[in-house]
Amino acid sequence: MAESTIGTRPLKIIAGADSFGCTLKDTLVSHLRSLNIEVEDLGTSPFYTIAAEVGRQVSSSTTTPAATENRGLVACGTGVGVAMFANKFPGVYAATCLTPEEALNARSINNSNVLAVSGMSTSPTPAIYILNTWLNTPFDIESFLDNSIEEMTIRSGSSQSDESARCAICCLVKNRELNPIDIIPGGSMKILRETPTSAIVRFKAGSVEPAHHHTFGHDLVVMEGKKSVWNLSKKERYNLGVGDFLFTPAGDVHRVKYYEDTEFFIRWDGKWDMFFDEDLETAKAAVEKELGNGAV
């Protein structure tokens, strides 16, 4: 049975559909309310309009601290069109799911926060199974990465005992041999995939990232440790621990402090770049002043 809270925050679902998906959407909204999950039903509009509004609201909740965790539910004839338009907004990971297995992977591997379903291909009972799986599956990138050697080997038809046949990406993850980040003391990184680029990054306790920005937006999830991110462009501070997720838009200047040895998974689109807006000593002084005014 799904719970009305995910982690420490209540869950809220923002729902909408076009005329081909409205009947299925209504069924799923009723099911969500029977689970005591808050639902904001935006009704029925053309698929591109309704999906954009759901995506906009979910995106806003990923970049601005909120009392609830907002996710989305969208439906159209195929489930594809609504997913495409919802995904145009930063921090939105809409996935079209036609089976519970697809819903499980969408959540556990891709951290999907918008579920897209097909009004023409999925009947109510299977759709409820899909929704329940999506609701009850946590994002677990650590487990996925550690199990990926076996999964990749099976898909390639090779034996696990054949070291030469293993996926190079999976071996990088398993060995966790990260390379130092020369421009920031205490940091190290291992690239996992080139396009869209993702990496495992580790920082030692006490490390500070001076204020900087990128030409790309990026999102991350903390796997170990504890850190604070100051988004200086938005004048906001985010305290992150294990399992916490944060999206930082392109161009936003941000500074980071690590309180413990911290490891996180980060993903971005485009070629890596980093433009510093202050030096390390200035950053350390600013962090000390900030922390001196209140507890971590």
Side-chain angles (χ1 to χ4, degrees), residues 23-39:
T23 300
L24 184 60
K25 182 266 297 178
D26 290 343
T27 297
L28 296 180
V29 165
S30 296
H31 177 68
L32 287 166
R33 287 174 173 158
S34 75
L35 301 176
N36 295 318
I37 294 175
E38 180 183 359
V39 180

Side-chain angles (χ1 to χ4, degrees), residues 149-191:
I149 290 180
E150 179 179 358
E151 292 176 3
M152 291 291 187
T153 302
I154 291 173
R155 291 173 187 174
S156 67
S158 304
S159 169
Q160 271 196 313
S161 62
D162 181 4
E163 295 289 334
S164 63
R166 288 186 175 181
C167 171
I169 292 176
C170 303
C171 292
L172 290 179
V173 178
K174 195 71 176 179
N175 293 335
R176 292 286 170 84
E177 295 177 357
L178 279 66
N179 301 316
I181 303 175
D182 295 333
I183 55 178
I184 306 179
S188 55
M189 173 186 286
K190 175 63 72 176
I191 298 293

Side-chain angles (χ1 to χ4, degrees), residues 117-231:
V117 293
S118 167
M120 295 192 300
S121 300
T122 309
S123 56
T125 298
I128 289 173
Y129 287 129
I130 292 169
L131 177 59
N132 284 343
T133 301
W134 184 79
L135 289 171
N136 292 318
T137 302
F139 176 44
D140 190 5
I141 190 66
E142 178 85 13
S143 175
F144 167 68
L145 294 176
D146 285 341
N147 292 330
S148 56
I149 290 180
E150 179 179 358
E151 292 176 3
M152 291 291 187
T153 302
I154 291 173
R155 291 173 187 174
S156 67
S158 304
S159 169
Q160 271 196 313
S161 62
D162 181 4
E163 295 289 334
S164 63
R166 288 186 175 181
C167 171
I169 292 176
C170 303
C171 292
L172 290 179
V173 178
K174 195 71 176 179
N175 293 335
R176 292 286 170 84
E177 295 177 357
L178 279 66
N179 301 316
I181 303 175
D182 295 333
I183 55 178
I184 306 179
S188 55
M189 173 186 286
K190 175 63 72 176
I191 298 293
L192 304 181
R193 183 178 61 183
E194 293 295 338
T195 306
T197 310
S198 58
I200 296 291
V201 180
R202 183 183 298 140
F203 274 91
K204 295 179 180 178
S207 298
V208 172
E209 291 185 50
H212 61 280
H213 64 278
H214 310 280
T215 59
F216 49 79
H218 61 80
D219 39 34
L220 65 86
V221 61
V222 178
M223 299 191 297
E224 298 176 15
K226 185 178 181 182
K227 62 189 280 190
S228 284
V229 178
W230 286 267
N231 187 314

